[in-house]
Amino acid sequence: MAHDSFLPADDIRTLFSESMSRMYQQEVPQYGTLMQLVAQINERVLAAEPALQHQLRETGELDRLSLERHGAIRVGRAAELNMLRRIFAIMGMHPVSYYDLSEAGVPVHSTAFRPTDDASLRRNPFRIFTSLLRLELIEDDALRARAAEILDGRDIFTAKARVLVAQAEAQGGLTEEQARHFVAEVLETFRWHQHATVDLASYQALQDAHRLIADVVCFRGPHINHLTPRTLDIDTVQQQMPAVGINPKAVIEGPPRRRCPILLRQTSFTALEEPVRFAGEQAGTHTARFGEIEQRGMALTPKGRALYDELLNRSRQTPAEADNEAHQRQLAEVFADFPDDEDSLRTLKLGYFRYGLTEAGRRQAERGESASGDIDTLIEAGLIKATPIIYEDFLPVSAAGIFQSNLGGVQHQAYVQNANQAAFEQALGCPVQDEFALYARLQDDSIRQVRQALGA
């Protein structure tokens, strides 16, 4: 089959994310309300801050603002994770980074499937945070064996989905018609199933071990547990959720509000209590699915991330405030030691930047005049400019905080056995990519392009 007859992976990813959003809004109507609230607040921010709107338009962020969503899914077996890798590859999404959530009391380890090249990120940066249950962390031998038995007895993918994945791999892509069938079949894996595969007693035993274990093990499929719109003002969203009938989690996860946003801030509404029918027609409820909001800032270098982690750990040495305003004040005091202007973040090499020609630089390049000097010299000459590279990944402490708040709010102690990236990658079927290397490549590519344009 001719390569040009295939639908581009970016388009398949967009088709998938839009279809998933429609499905989730039908299943969880509060998510639709949340999206409307976020859109309204984004519009107000853009109207009030013309400079921000101009910057977002210049960097291409404005066009993808409404597309900037992520979802999360949790699977129970290595084979399930491996199949998801193959599915996401067809959408141009690849595993980036390894996250150990067990150190925060959540018995999973994770990666994020996302686009990795600049062009695809600009088209649609949709990503799925994907977690694999760590059965070895269940202390009760009999319960661990029972959970493994339940998981071994299910197939979370439709037969047609498996056929289409194999077809895409064999022929190197999918036509538009095949891609639409593929998305429809894959959505079945992410769909909510009201009927559990176990009886109520088994569910309760697994839930007593950890509520997340019950969520992963006891259903026909893993179901998407949240989707996430991107906001330009997460603090206002947090404040206004109750006004539209949405109950927010207690505090915003991640760094405090800053003039120069860094990394990722997240909040959510609390998970819904949903009716479930257990084996034997026993009635009960399950709590797992929710809506999340994210506000993304600058990607940090290893040096910047080390400083972030140090300050976050320092902030956690003081008992956490249950009130978000007090929590943010506490964070802001600690993070006063993190530079909050772009020049410092760039010159101290704390953040990653994308370099481009200014108008003066473009005119000079068009005249064929070369320019010499290092990046700082070219910036001082007004020929190039630096804009922050947006962080596309996740923070394990924040992810654990979101998960815990939507699993009944019960805090768990960290598990004794922590990171095991080798086992995760073996289940995945490939190594995860290093996020720092990806950001460094984006930065280096932009430097090379401006130097080439200026003949430097």
Side-chain angles (χ1 to χ4, degrees), residues 149-407:
E149 179 186 15
I150 295 167
L151 289 170
D152 286 342
R154 76 179 189 182
D155 187 349
I156 67 173
F157 305 103
T158 69
K160 288 183 180 178
R162 291 185 176 279
V163 168
L164 285 164
V165 169
Q167 186 174 2
E169 291 171 342
Q171 65 189 24
L174 295 172
T175 66
E176 181 173 351
E177 182 180 2
Q178 290 169 342
R180 292 187 180 279
H181 287 307
F182 165 76
V183 166
E185 292 297 327
V186 169
L187 276 182
E188 293 305 309
T189 296
F190 295 81
R191 191 179 298 280
W192 169 248
H193 299 289
Q194 194 173 11
H195 287 78
T197 57
V198 301
D199 58 30
L200 184 57
S202 297
Y203 171 83
Q204 289 175 334
L206 290 164
Q207 182 162 253
D208 288 344
H210 197 292
R211 294 175 74 97
L212 183 140
I213 296 173
D215 180 59
V216 174
V217 172
C218 297
F219 296 87
R220 283 171 45 200
H223 52 253
I224 190 79
N225 60 68
H226 70 266
L227 284 178
T228 311
R230 178 186 175 191
T231 183
L232 297 173
D233 186 353
I234 200 168
D235 300 276
T236 299
V237 175
Q238 177 84 1
Q239 293 167 1
Q240 293 191 8
M241 275 196 279
V244 294
I246 298 175
N247 183 32
K249 71 183 293 293
V251 300
I252 297 171
E253 303 285 347
R257 188 184 187 101
R258 294 163 42 89
R259 290 192 304 274
C260 298
I262 57 172
L263 297 174
L264 172 66
R265 303 181 73 202
Q266 296 169 273
T267 189
S268 68
F269 62 73
T270 52
L272 308 176
E273 185 174 352
E274 302 180 83
V276 172
R277 301 297 297 183
F278 293 94
E281 290 304 307
Q282 296 170 294
T285 61
H286 180 67
T287 304
R289 300 194 303 157
F290 55 96
E292 186 177 293
I293 312 98
E294 64 176 33
Q295 183 170 359
R296 291 189 174 268
M298 181 189 311
L300 298 183
T301 63
K303 179 182 177 182
R305 185 58 182 271
L307 178 57
Y308 171 81
D309 289 341
E310 176 191 334
L311 295 177
L312 184 66
N313 288 334
R314 190 189 305 172
S315 74
R316 298 174 77 200
Q317 290 169 8
T318 304
E321 297 281 356
D323 173 74
N324 185 58
E325 289 188 12
H327 174 69
Q328 295 303 321
R329 284 196 300 271
Q330 178 180 313
L331 270 180
E333 289 174 7
V334 174
F335 273 81
D337 290 341
F338 203 113
D340 197 12
D341 65 276
E342 289 187 6
D343 283 344
S344 296
L345 291 166
R346 189 181 64 81
T347 56
L348 293 172
K349 294 182 169 49
L350 297 174
Y352 289 105
F353 287 80
R354 178 181 281 106
Y355 295 87
L357 297 177
T358 62
E359 186 59 38
R362 281 193 289 271
R363 287 197 300 269
Q364 182 159 324
E366 288 168 0
R367 292 194 300 267
E369 299 174 6
S370 63
S372 60
D374 59 19
I375 288 296
D376 289 338
T377 301
L378 295 172
I379 288 176
E380 289 172 9
L383 299 176
I384 67 172
K385 58 188 175 182
T387 54
I389 293 176
I390 294 297
Y391 186 62
E392 304 288 352
D393 297 287
F394 294 90
L395 303 170
V397 172
S398 295
I402 293 284
F403 281 9
Q404 291 282 23
S405 70
N406 286 290
L407 292 166

